[in-house]
Amino acid sequence: MAEFTLRKTMIFLEEIAHDGGPSGPARQRGAIVALVKNPFAGGYVEDIASAMDDLKPLGLEMTDKLIAAMGGIEGIDGYGKAAMCGEAGELEHTALWHVPGGYSMRERLGEALAIVPSSMKQGGPGTRIDIPLGHINAAYVRSHFDAMEVGLPDGPKADELLFALAMSRGGRIHARVGGLTVDQISKGDGLR
């Protein structure tokens, strides 16, 4: 069992009333990040896949905290995830977040059919990362293509991983470039 000792979490919340155009219903975006010890930092380990199971409790805990901070599940219709390793880690260590990060949100949000958009990178303290956002039931809903930038001034340290989850209510403010709309979702395949 891999040890991912939690050092800290931080929650980011924003409400967007307008983006240079007329005011309308506010859009809410939220993210939570966690800094954990990277048990694989500093050397190559062949078999790391089983560590995804060790991260599932963290994924559920972060999901629950973010949903609570956003005022509950009602209306959350966008999500995404990201991960960053410190300089002693490797990019493959961030891929450990795919299952525990994505499936925790899908489990808690109920009917969520679309793949959870993801980004990964390597960086040090203060490095920012964009968490891509997409609609929870249809990946082709253009109004929900977005990103939320997060980062911490003191991490990730060389031997740490930063894991991030993001959720949103509503599409981009003033979305008007066409494509599949929310009311056209067929809820069949997670794409359309």
Side-chain angles (χ1 to χ4, degrees):
M1 182 171 180
E3 283 269 343
F4 295 91
T5 305
L6 178 66
R7 179 159 71 93
K8 70 187 291 185
T9 62
M10 185 170 184
I11 293 175
F12 303 80
L13 291 175
E14 63 181 343
E15 297 212 1
I16 306 161
H18 70 87
D19 191 22
S23 294
R27 178 176 194 224
Q28 184 183 41
R29 293 191 304 197
I32 183 169
V33 298
L35 285 173
V36 301
K37 181 84 168 167
N38 181 351
F40 306 114
Y44 180 82
V45 177
E46 179 65 32
D47 183 15
I48 63 172
S50 63
M52 287 188 280
D53 288 336
D54 302 325
L55 286 167
K56 285 180 181 177
L58 178 63
L60 290 169
E61 178 184 342
M62 289 172 65
T63 297
D64 291 342
K65 284 182 177 183
L66 182 55
I67 289 170
M70 291 181 71
I73 288 175
E74 184 69 32
I76 293 175
D77 63 355
Y79 57 18
K81 64 185 185 300
M84 183 177 2
C85 63
E87 66 182 88
E90 60 177 285
L91 195 59
E92 193 64 9
H93 300 161
T94 65
L96 293 169
W97 194 232
H98 283 309
V99 171
Y103 281 88
S104 64
M105 289 190 292
R106 292 175 85 172
E107 179 179 322
R108 293 298 200 245
L109 293 174
E111 187 178 316
L113 301 174
I115 191 167
V116 181
S118 181
S119 66
M120 300 177 277
K121 68 189 279 186
Q122 187 175 41
T127 303
R128 312 285 290 175
I129 189 166
D130 286 343
I131 308 170
L133 289 163
H135 194 278
I136 65 172
N137 284 317
Y140 291 170
V141 174
R142 286 188 199 163
S143 61
H144 286 62
F145 294 172
D146 197 4
M148 187 171 180
E149 184 184 45
V150 297
L152 294 172
D154 61 342
K157 294 180 180 176
D159 64 346
E160 289 183 323
L161 290 160
L162 180 146
F163 294 128
L165 300 175
M167 297 179 196
S168 62
R169 281 193 175 89
R172 291 184 317 279
I173 299 295
H174 314 308
R176 58 190 183 278
V177 295
L180 187 71
T181 60
V182 172
D183 62 330
Q184 295 172 327
I185 295 173
S186 66
K187 294 191 178 188
D189 61 4
L191 298 175
R192 296 179 180 86

